[in-house]
Amino acid sequence: MSDPAASDYAAAMRTAIDASESARGRTSPNPPVGAVILDAAGAVVGIGSTQPPGGPHAEIMALREAGDRARGGTAVVTLEPCNHTGRTGPCAVALIEAGIAHVIHAVGDPNPVAMGGADRLRAAGVVVESGLEADAVSHGPLRAWLHKQRAGRPFVTLKYAAGLDGRSAAADGTSQWITGPDARAHVHAERAKLDAVVVGTGTVLADDPLLTARLTDGSNAARQPLRVVVGRREIPADARIRGDDAPTVFVRSHDPLDVLAALADHTDVLVEGGPTLAGAFLAAGVVDRIVAYIAPVVLGSGRAAVENAGVGTIADALRFSIESVQTLGTDLVVVAVPKETGVT
């Protein structure tokens, strides 16, 4: 077999990204990293992802699977190997001790406590490269974690469902179900990968949601996000959100900054309803992504999906760039991110 080619490394990084995605939601506060070990000839001999807190990191899992075949090989990792000792030892040292000759990572580690792995590897004679599939990694499984490292707060996604006219509820207040089963299944699959789901008291009082991540058969997913209820109104003692299906906290405030302060230990947060809460988070400038589920229906009247976002004139409109559009059954899911400052 010939030496590894660039295509081997690219394929390995795509596999590492898949491994990273499989760990999303299970690793917080650690990043959901993926790693692949190639032997000296370029064959995949180990695949690993970060384990829940206190467990091995991705590189360690991949090295365990590779065993002696790692010697003289290449480690392809979504994030720069760590260089510190916490609940586990430095991954950079583990790679050196395993005889890895070449390390390729997609993005550098911005955490000042953990960074420096690349320099440590180079000092030990390991060839280190960075930047392979950096966009796919930084806009994919590591997006929320990287954002928190740089911004110091959780990554906030605003999610809503609406008809073609932008309304999320009919004139009588009914809102279930605007979207179809494929879109709803997609929402539940995403919930299972999140740290927290946020709703206002208005949504709880109107819809009495469970706010859990559920499988297609209606049973609860193995992992549940923290349920967060925002507002000062009292919630009935028999509200479903008070059940034991998932942990729940109450934030007695209308200020999004208070909500984020209460979730300071969390990384990936979803704001799921309703229009008043959505508008408050947008007005506060703390929405990092919008995921809009658009159904081919027209309600004609009723509440809009977003209200009171702090926009008084078209010149002050909050501008977003479309990141992706996907068809889910009869519905569309549109993902948008804020435009860069100065971009029109």
Side-chain angles (χ1 to χ4, degrees), residues 205-289:
L205 293 171
D207 297 338
D208 193 22
L210 271 171
L211 220 64
T212 53
R214 297 187 292 280
L215 305 177
T216 54
D217 64 1
S219 63
N220 282 345
R223 184 191 177 279
Q224 295 293 326
L226 176 70
R227 300 178 296 192
V228 183
V229 181
V230 179
R232 296 193 177 94
R233 285 185 283 181
E234 290 301 320
I235 302 301
D238 60 351
R240 296 200 298 169
I241 205 165
R242 290 187 181 274
D244 296 330
D245 304 88
T248 304
V249 299
F250 295 85
V251 180
R252 303 296 186 183
S253 173
H254 293 133
D255 189 341
L257 298 184
D258 290 340
V259 178
L260 295 183
L263 297 175
D265 293 336
H266 296 73
T267 300
D268 205 351
V269 172
L270 180 70
V271 176
E272 195 166 302
T276 301
L277 189 68
F281 269 79
L282 284 164
V286 292
V287 171
D288 303 301
R289 180 176 60 168

Coordinates of all heavy atoms in Angstrom, one line a residue, residues 205-289:
L205 N -48.2 28.1 29.6 CA -49.6 28.3 29.9 C -50.5 28.0 28.7 O -51.6 27.4 28.9 CB -49.9 29.7 30.5 CG -49.2 30.0 31.8 CD1 -49.3 31.5 32.1 CD2 -49.8 29.2 32.9
A206 N -50.1 28.4 27.5 CA -51.0 28.2 26.4 C -50.9 26.8 25.8 O -52.0 26.2 25.4 CB -50.5 29.2 25.3
D207 N -49.7 26.1 25.8 CA -49.6 24.8 25.1 C -49.4 23.7 26.1 O -49.5 22.5 25.6 CB -48.4 24.9 24.1 CG -48.7 25.9 23.0 OD1 -49.8 26.2 22.8 OD2 -47.7 26.4 22.4
D208 N -49.0 23.9 27.3 CA -48.6 22.9 28.3 C -47.7 21.8 27.7 O -47.9 20.6 27.6 CB -49.9 22.2 28.8 CG -49.6 21.3 30.0 OD1 -48.6 21.5 30.7 OD2 -50.4 20.3 30.3
P209 N -46.5 22.3 27.1 CA -45.6 21.4 26.4 C -44.8 20.5 27.4 O -44.6 20.9 28.6 CB -44.6 22.3 25.7 CG -44.6 23.5 26.6 CD -46.0 23.7 27.2
L210 N -44.4 19.3 26.9 CA -43.4 18.5 27.7 C -42.0 19.1 27.5 O -41.2 19.0 28.5 CB -43.5 17.1 27.1 CG -44.5 16.1 27.8 CD1 -44.5 14.8 27.0 CD2 -44.1 15.8 29.2
L211 N -41.7 19.5 26.4 CA -40.4 20.1 26.0 C -39.3 19.1 26.2 O -38.2 19.4 26.5 CB -40.1 21.4 26.9 CG -39.5 22.5 26.2 CD1 -40.4 23.1 25.1 CD2 -39.1 23.6 27.1
T212 N -39.6 17.9 25.9 CA -38.6 16.8 25.9 C -38.1 16.5 24.5 O -38.8 16.8 23.5 CB -39.1 15.6 26.6 OG1 -40.4 15.2 26.0 CG2 -39.4 15.8 28.1
A213 N -37.1 15.7 24.4 CA -36.6 15.1 23.2 C -37.2 13.8 23.1 O -37.0 12.9 23.9 CB -35.1 15.1 23.1
R214 N -38.0 13.5 22.0 CA -38.7 12.3 22.0 C -38.4 11.5 20.6 O -38.1 12.2 19.6 CB -40.2 12.5 22.1 CG -40.6 13.0 23.4 CD -42.1 13.1 23.6 NE -42.8 14.0 22.8 CZ -42.8 15.4 23.0 NH1 -42.2 15.9 24.0 NH2 -43.5 16.2 22.2
L215 N -38.4 10.2 20.7 CA -38.2 9.4 19.5 C -39.5 9.3 18.7 O -40.5 9.8 19.1 CB -37.7 8.0 20.0 CG -36.5 8.0 20.9 CD1 -36.2 6.5 21.3 CD2 -35.3 8.6 20.2
T216 N -39.4 8.7 17.5 CA -40.5 8.7 16.6 C -41.7 7.9 17.2 O -42.8 8.1 16.8 CB -40.1 8.1 15.3 OG1 -39.5 6.8 15.5 CG2 -39.2 9.0 14.5
D217 N -41.4 7.0 18.1 CA -42.5 6.2 18.8 C -43.1 6.9 20.0 O -44.0 6.3 20.6 CB -42.0 4.8 19.2 CG -40.9 4.8 20.2 OD1 -40.6 6.0 20.7 OD2 -40.4 3.8 20.6
G218 N -42.6 8.1 20.2 CA -43.2 8.9 21.3 C -42.5 8.7 22.7 O -42.7 9.5 23.6
S219 N -41.6 7.8 22.8 CA -40.8 7.6 24.0 C -39.7 8.6 24.1 O -39.3 9.2 23.1 CB -40.2 6.2 24.1 OG -39.3 6.0 23.0
N220 N -39.2 8.9 25.3 CA -38.2 9.8 25.5 C -36.8 9.4 25.0 O -36.5 8.2 25.2 CB -38.0 10.2 27.0 CG -39.1 11.1 27.5 OD1 -39.8 11.7 26.7 ND2 -39.3 11.2 28.8
A221 N -36.1 10.3 24.4 CA -34.7 10.0 24.0 C -33.9 9.7 25.3 O -34.2 10.2 26.4 CB -34.1 11.1 23.2
A222 N -32.7 9.1 25.1 CA -31.9 8.7 26.2 C -31.3 10.0 26.9 O -31.2 10.0 28.1 CB -30.7 7.8 25.7
R223 N -31.1 11.0 26.1 CA -30.5 12.2 26.7 C -31.5 13.3 26.6 O -32.1 13.5 25.5 CB -29.2 12.6 26.0 CG -28.6 13.8 26.7 CD -27.4 14.4 25.9 NE -26.9 15.6 26.5 CZ -27.5 16.8 26.4 NH1 -28.5 16.9 25.7 NH2 -26.9 17.8 27.0
Q224 N -31.7 14.1 27.6 CA -32.7 15.2 27.6 C -32.0 16.5 28.0 O -31.1 16.6 28.9 CB -33.8 14.9 28.7 CG -34.7 13.7 28.4 CD -35.5 14.0 27.1 OE1 -35.9 15.1 26.8 NE2 -35.7 12.9 26.4
P225 N -32.3 17.6 27.3 CA -31.8 18.9 27.6 C -32.5 19.4 28.9 O -33.6 19.0 29.3 CB -32.2 19.7 26.4 CG -33.4 19.1 25.9 CD -33.3 17.6 26.1
L226 N -31.8 20.4 29.5 CA -32.4 21.1 30.6 C -33.6 21.9 30.1 O -33.5 22.6 29.0 CB -31.4 22.0 31.2 CG -31.8 23.0 32.4 CD1 -32.2 22.1 33.6 CD2 -30.8 24.0 32.7
R227 N -34.7 21.9 30.7 CA -35.9 22.7 30.4 C -35.8 24.0 31.2 O -35.7 24.0 32.4 CB -37.2 22.0 30.6 CG -37.3 20.7 29.8 CD -38.5 19.9 30.0 NE -38.7 19.4 31.4 CZ -39.6 18.6 31.8 NH1 -40.5 18.1 31.0 NH2 -39.6 18.2 33.1
V228 N -36.0 25.1 30.5 CA -35.8 26.4 31.2 C -37.1 27.2 30.9 O -37.5 27.5 29.7 CB -34.6 27.2 30.7 CG1 -34.5 28.5 31.4 CG2 -33.3 26.4 30.8
V229 N -37.8 27.7 31.9 CA -39.0 28.5 31.8 C -38.7 29.9 32.3 O -38.2 30.1 33.4 CB -40.2 27.9 32.6 CG1 -41.4 28.7 32.4 CG2 -40.4 26.4 32.2
V230 N -39.0 30.9 31.4 CA -38.6 32.3 31.7 C -39.9 33.1 31.9 O -40.8 33.0 31.1 CB -37.8 32.8 30.5 CG1 -37.5 34.3 30.7 CG2 -36.6 32.0 30.3
G231 N -39.9 33.9 32.9 CA -41.0 34.8 33.2 C -41.4 34.8 34.6 O -40.9 34.0 35.4
R232 N -42.4 35.7 35.0 CA -42.8 35.8 36.4 C -44.1 35.2 36.7 O -44.5 35.1 37.9 CB -42.8 37.3 36.8 CG -41.4 37.9 36.7 CD -41.4 39.3 37.3 NE -40.0 39.9 37.3 CZ -39.6 40.7 36.4 NH1 -40.4 41.0 35.4 NH2 -38.4 41.2 36.4
R233 N -44.9 34.8 35.7 CA -46.2 34.2 36.0 C -46.0 32.8 36.6 O -45.1 32.0 36.2 CB -47.0 34.1 34.7 CG -47.6 35.4 34.3 CD -48.5 35.3 33.1 NE -47.7 35.1 31.8 CZ -48.3 35.0 30.6 NH1 -49.6 35.0 30.5 NH2 -47.6 34.9 29.5
E234 N -46.9 32.4 37.4 CA -46.9 31.1 38.1 C -47.3 30.0 37.1 O -48.2 30.2 36.3 CB -47.8 31.1 39.3 CG -47.2 31.9 40.5 CD -45.9 31.5 40.9 OE1 -45.6 30.3 41.0 OE2 -45.0 32.4 41.2
I235 N -46.7 28.9 37.2 CA -47.0 27.7 36.4 C -47.7 26.7 37.2 O -47.3 26.4 38.4 CB -45.7 27.1 35.8 CG1 -44.9 28.1 35.0 CG2 -46.0 25.8 35.0 CD1 -45.6 28.7 33.8
P236 N -48.9 26.2 36.7 CA -49.6 25.2 37.5 C -48.8 24.1 38.0 O -47.9 23.6 37.4 CB -50.7 24.8 36.5 CG -50.8 25.9 35.5 CD -49.5 26.4 35.4
A237 N -49.2 23.6 39.2 CA -48.4 22.5 39.8 C -48.5 21.2 38.9 O -47.6 20.4 39.0 CB -49.0 22.2 41.2
D238 N -49.6 21.1 38.1 CA -49.7 19.9 37.3 C -49.2 20.1 35.9 O -49.5 19.2 35.0 CB -51.2 19.4 37.3 CG -52.1 20.4 36.8 OD1 -51.7 21.6 36.6 OD2 -53.3 20.1 36.6
A239 N -48.6 21.2 35.6 CA -48.0 21.4 34.3 C -47.1 20.3 33.9 O -46.3 19.8 34.7 CB -47.3 22.8 34.2
R240 N -47.1 19.9 32.6 CA -46.3 18.7 32.2 C -44.8 19.0 32.3 O -44.0 18.1 32.5 CB -46.7 18.3 30.8 CG -48.1 17.8 30.7 CD -48.3 17.0 29.4 NE -48.1 17.8 28.2 CZ -48.0 17.2 27.0 NH1 -48.1 15.9 26.8 NH2 -47.8 18.0 25.9
I241 N -44.5 20.3 32.2 CA -43.1 20.7 32.3 C -42.5 20.5 33.7 O -41.2 20.5 33.8 CB -42.9 22.1 31.8 CG1 -41.4 22.3 31.2 CG2 -43.2 23.1 32.9 CD1 -41.3 23.6 30.4
R242 N -43.3 20.3 34.6 CA -42.8 20.1 36.0 C -42.6 18.6 36.2 O -42.1 18.2 37.3 CB -43.9 20.5 37.0 CG -44.0 22.1 37.1 CD -44.9 22.4 38.3 NE -45.2 23.8 38.4 CZ -44.4 24.6 39.1 NH1 -43.3 24.2 39.7 NH2 -44.6 25.9 39.2
G243 N -42.9 17.7 35.3 CA -42.7 16.3 35.4 C -41.3 15.9 35.5 O -40.3 16.7 35.4
D244 N -41.1 14.6 35.7 CA -39.7 14.0 35.9 C -39.1 13.6 34.6 O -38.0 12.9 34.6 CB -39.8 12.8 36.8 CG -40.3 13.2 38.2 OD1 -40.0 14.3 38.6 OD2 -40.9 12.3 38.9
D245 N -39.7 13.9 33.4 CA -39.2 13.5 32.1 C -37.8 14.1 31.9 O -37.0 13.5 31.2 CB -40.1 13.9 31.0 CG -41.5 13.4 31.2 OD1 -42.3 14.1 31.9 OD2 -41.8 12.3 30.7
A246 N -37.5 15.3 32.4 CA -36.3 16.0 32.2 C -36.2 17.1 33.3 O -37.2 17.5 33.9 CB -36.2 16.7 30.8
P247 N -34.9 17.5 33.6 CA -34.8 18.5 34.6 C -35.3 19.9 34.2 O -35.3 20.2 33.0 CB -33.2 18.6 34.8 CG -32.7 18.1 33.5 CD -33.6 17.0 33.1
T248 N -35.8 20.7 35.1 CA -36.5 22.0 34.7 C -36.0 23.0 35.7 O -35.9 22.8 36.9 CB -38.0 21.9 34.8 OG1 -38.4 20.8 34.0 CG2 -38.6 23.2 34.4
V249 N -35.7 24.2 35.2 CA -35.4 25.4 36.1 C -36.2 26.5 35.7 O -36.7 26.6 34.5 CB -33.9 25.8 36.0 CG1 -33.0 24.6 36.4 CG2 -33.5 26.2 34.6
F250 N -36.5 27.4 36.6 CA -37.3 28.6 36.3 C -36.5 29.8 36.5 O -35.8 30.0 37.6 CB -38.5 28.6 37.3 CG -39.5 27.5 37.1 CD1 -39.3 26.2 37.7 CD2 -40.6 27.6 36.2 CE1 -40.1 25.2 37.5 CE2 -41.4 26.6 36.0 CZ -41.2 25.4 36.6
V251 N -36.5 30.7 35.6 CA -35.8 32.0 35.7 C -36.8 33.1 35.8 O -37.5 33.4 34.8 CB -34.9 32.2 34.4 CG1 -34.1 33.5 34.5 CG2 -33.9 31.1 34.3
R252 N -36.9 33.7 36.9 CA -37.9 34.7 37.2 C -37.5 36.1 36.7 O -37.2 37.0 37.5 CB -38.2 34.7 38.7 CG -38.7 33.4 39.3 CD -40.0 32.9 38.7 NE -40.4 31.7 39.4 CZ -41.5 31.0 39.1 NH1 -42.2 31.4 38.0 NH2 -41.9 29.9 39.7
S253 N -37.5 36.2 35.4 CA -37.0 37.4 34.8 C -37.5 37.5 33.4 O -37.9 36.4 32.8 CB -35.5 37.5 34.8 OG -35.1 38.6 34.1
H254 N -37.6 38.7 32.8 CA -37.9 38.8 31.4 C -36.6 39.2 30.6 O -36.7 39.5 29.4 CB -39.0 39.9 31.2 CG -40.3 39.4 31.7 ND1 -41.1 40.3 32.5 CD2 -41.0 38.3 31.6 CE1 -42.2 39.6 32.8 NE2 -42.1 38.4 32.3
D255 N -35.5 39.3 31.2 CA -34.3 39.8 30.6 C -33.5 38.6 30.1 O -33.0 37.7 30.8 CB -33.4 40.5 31.6 CG -32.2 41.2 31.0 OD1 -31.8 40.9 29.9 OD2 -31.7 42.1 31.7
P256 N -33.2 38.6 28.7 CA -32.4 37.5 28.2 C -31.0 37.3 28.8 O -30.5 36.2 28.9 CB -32.3 37.8 26.7 CG -33.5 38.6 26.4 CD -33.7 39.4 27.7
L257 N -30.5 38.4 29.2 CA -29.1 38.4 29.8 C -29.2 37.6 31.2 O -28.2 36.9 31.5 CB -28.5 39.8 30.0 CG -28.3 40.6 28.7 CD1 -27.7 41.9 29.0 CD2 -27.5 39.7 27.7
D258 N -30.3 37.7 31.9 CA -30.4 37.0 33.1 C -30.5 35.5 32.8 O -30.0 34.6 33.5 CB -31.7 37.4 33.9 CG -31.6 38.8 34.5 OD1 -30.4 39.3 34.7 OD2 -32.6 39.4 34.8
V259 N -31.2 35.2 31.7 CA -31.3 33.8 31.3 C -30.0 33.2 31.0 O -29.6 32.1 31.4 CB -32.3 33.6 30.1 CG1 -32.4 32.2 29.6 CG2 -33.7 34.2 30.4
L260 N -29.2 33.9 30.2 CA -27.9 33.4 29.8 C -26.9 33.3 31.0 O -26.1 32.4 31.1 CB -27.2 34.3 28.8 CG -28.0 34.4 27.4 CD1 -27.3 35.2 26.4 CD2 -28.2 32.9 26.9
A261 N -27.1 34.2 32.0 CA -26.3 34.2 33.2 C -26.7 32.9 34.0 O -25.8 32.2 34.6 CB -26.5 35.4 34.1
A262 N -27.9 32.5 34.0 CA -28.4 31.3 34.7 C -27.9 30.1 34.0 O -27.8 29.0 34.6 CB -29.9 31.3 34.8
L263 N -27.6 30.2 32.7 CA -27.1 29.1 31.9 C -25.6 29.2 31.6 O -25.1 28.6 30.6 CB -27.9 29.0 30.6 CG -29.4 28.7 30.7 CD1 -30.1 28.8 29.4 CD2 -29.7 27.4 31.4
A264 N -24.9 29.9 32.4 CA -23.4 30.1 32.2 C -22.6 28.9 32.0 O -21.6 28.9 31.3 CB -22.9 31.0 33.3
D265 N -23.1 27.8 32.7 CA -22.3 26.5 32.6 C -22.7 25.7 31.4 O -22.2 24.6 31.2 CB -22.5 25.7 33.8 CG -21.9 26.3 35.1 OD1 -21.0 27.1 34.9 OD2 -22.4 26.1 36.2
H266 N -23.6 26.2 30.5 CA -24.1 25.5 29.4 C -23.5 26.1 28.1 O -23.0 27.2 28.1 CB -25.6 25.5 29.3 CG -26.3 24.8 30.5 ND1 -26.3 25.3 31.8 CD2 -26.9 23.6 30.6 CE1 -26.9 24.5 32.6 NE2 -27.3 23.4 31.9
T267 N -23.5 25.3 27.0 CA -22.9 25.7 25.8 C -23.9 26.0 24.7 O -23.8 27.0 24.0 CB -21.9 24.6 25.4 OG1 -20.9 24.5 26.4 CG2 -21.2 25.0 24.1
D268 N -24.8 25.1 24.4 CA -25.7 25.1 23.3 C -27.1 25.2 23.7 O -27.7 24.3 24.2 CB -25.5 23.8 22.4 CG -25.8 24.0 21.0 OD1 -26.3 25.0 20.6 OD2 -25.5 23.0 20.2
V269 N -27.7 26.4 23.5 CA -29.0 26.7 24.0 C -30.0 27.0 22.9 O -29.7 27.8 22.0 CB -28.9 27.9 25.0 CG1 -30.3 28.4 25.4 CG2 -28.1 27.6 26.2
L270 N -31.2 26.5 23.0 CA -32.3 26.7 22.1 C -33.4 27.5 22.7 O -33.9 27.1 23.7 CB -32.8 25.4 21.5 CG -33.9 25.5 20.5 CD1 -33.4 25.9 19.2 CD2 -34.6 24.1 20.3
V271 N -33.7 28.7 22.1 CA -34.9 29.4 22.5 C -36.0 29.0 21.6 O -36.0 29.2 20.4 CB -34.6 30.9 22.4 CG1 -35.9 31.7 22.7 CG2 -33.5 31.4 23.3
E272 N -37.1 28.4 22.2 CA -38.1 27.8 21.4 C -39.4 28.4 21.4 O -40.4 28.0 20.7 CB -38.2 26.3 21.8 CG -38.9 25.5 20.8 CD -38.8 24.0 21.0 OE1 -37.6 23.5 21.0 OE2 -39.8 23.3 21.2
G273 N -39.6 29.4 22.2 CA -41.0 30.1 22.2 C -41.2 31.0 23.3 O -40.5 30.9 24.3
G274 N -42.2 31.8 23.2 CA -43.0 32.1 22.0 C -42.5 33.4 21.4 O -41.4 33.8 21.5
P275 N -43.4 34.1 20.7 CA -43.0 35.3 20.0 C -42.5 36.5 20.8 O -41.6 37.2 20.4 CB -44.3 35.8 19.3 CG -45.4 35.1 20.0 CD -44.8 33.8 20.5
T276 N -43.0 36.6 22.0 CA -42.5 37.7 22.9 C -41.0 37.4 23.4 O -40.2 38.2 23.3 CB -43.4 37.8 24.2 OG1 -44.7 38.2 23.7 CG2 -42.8 38.9 25.1
L277 N -40.8 36.1 23.7 CA -39.4 35.7 24.2 C -38.5 35.8 23.0 O -37.3 36.3 23.1 CB -39.5 34.3 24.7 CG -38.2 33.8 25.4 CD1 -37.9 34.6 26.7 CD2 -38.3 32.3 25.7
A278 N -38.9 35.4 21.8 CA -38.1 35.5 20.6 C -37.7 36.9 20.3 O -36.5 37.2 20.1 CB -38.8 34.9 19.4
G279 N -38.7 37.8 20.4 CA -38.4 39.2 20.2 C -37.4 39.8 21.2 O -36.5 40.6 20.9
A280 N -37.5 39.4 22.5 CA -36.6 39.9 23.5 C -35.2 39.4 23.3 O -34.3 40.2 23.4 CB -37.1 39.4 24.9
F281 N -35.0 38.2 22.9 CA -33.6 37.7 22.6 C -33.0 38.4 21.4 O -31.9 38.8 21.3 CB -33.6 36.2 22.4 CG -33.4 35.4 23.7 CD1 -34.4 35.3 24.6 CD2 -32.1 34.9 24.0 CE1 -34.2 34.6 25.8 CE2 -31.9 34.3 25.2 CZ -33.0 34.1 26.1
L282 N -33.9 38.6 20.3 CA -33.4 39.4 19.2 C -33.0 40.8 19.5 O -32.0 41.3 19.1 CB -34.4 39.3 18.1 CG -34.5 38.0 17.3 CD1 -35.8 37.9 16.5 CD2 -33.3 37.8 16.4
A283 N -33.9 41.5 20.3 CA -33.7 42.9 20.7 C -32.4 43.0 21.5 O -31.7 44.0 21.4 CB -34.9 43.4 21.4
A284 N -32.1 42.0 22.3 CA -30.9 42.0 23.2 C -29.6 41.7 22.4 O -28.5 41.8 22.9 CB -31.1 41.0 24.3
G285 N -29.8 41.3 21.1 CA -28.6 41.0 20.3 C -27.9 39.7 20.7 O -26.6 39.6 20.4
V286 N -28.6 38.8 21.2 CA -27.9 37.5 21.7 C -28.4 36.3 20.9 O -28.2 35.2 21.4 CB -28.0 37.3 23.2 CG1 -27.3 38.4 23.9 CG2 -29.5 37.3 23.6
V287 N -29.0 36.5 19.7 CA -29.3 35.4 18.9 C -28.2 35.1 17.9 O -27.9 36.0 17.1 CB -30.7 35.6 18.1 CG1 -30.9 34.5 17.1 CG2 -31.8 35.7 19.2
D288 N -27.6 33.9 17.9 CA -26.5 33.6 17.0 C -26.9 32.8 15.8 O -26.2 32.7 14.8 CB -25.5 32.8 17.8 CG -25.0 33.5 19.1 OD1 -24.5 34.6 18.9 OD2 -25.3 33.0 20.2
R289 N -28.2 32.3 15.8 CA -28.7 31.6 14.6 C -30.2 31.5 14.7 O -30.7 31.4 15.8 CB -28.1 30.2 14.6 CG -28.5 29.3 13.4 CD -27.8 28.0 13.4 NE -28.0 27.2 14.6 CZ -27.7 25.9 14.8 NH1 -27.1 25.3 13.8 NH2 -28.0 25.3 15.9

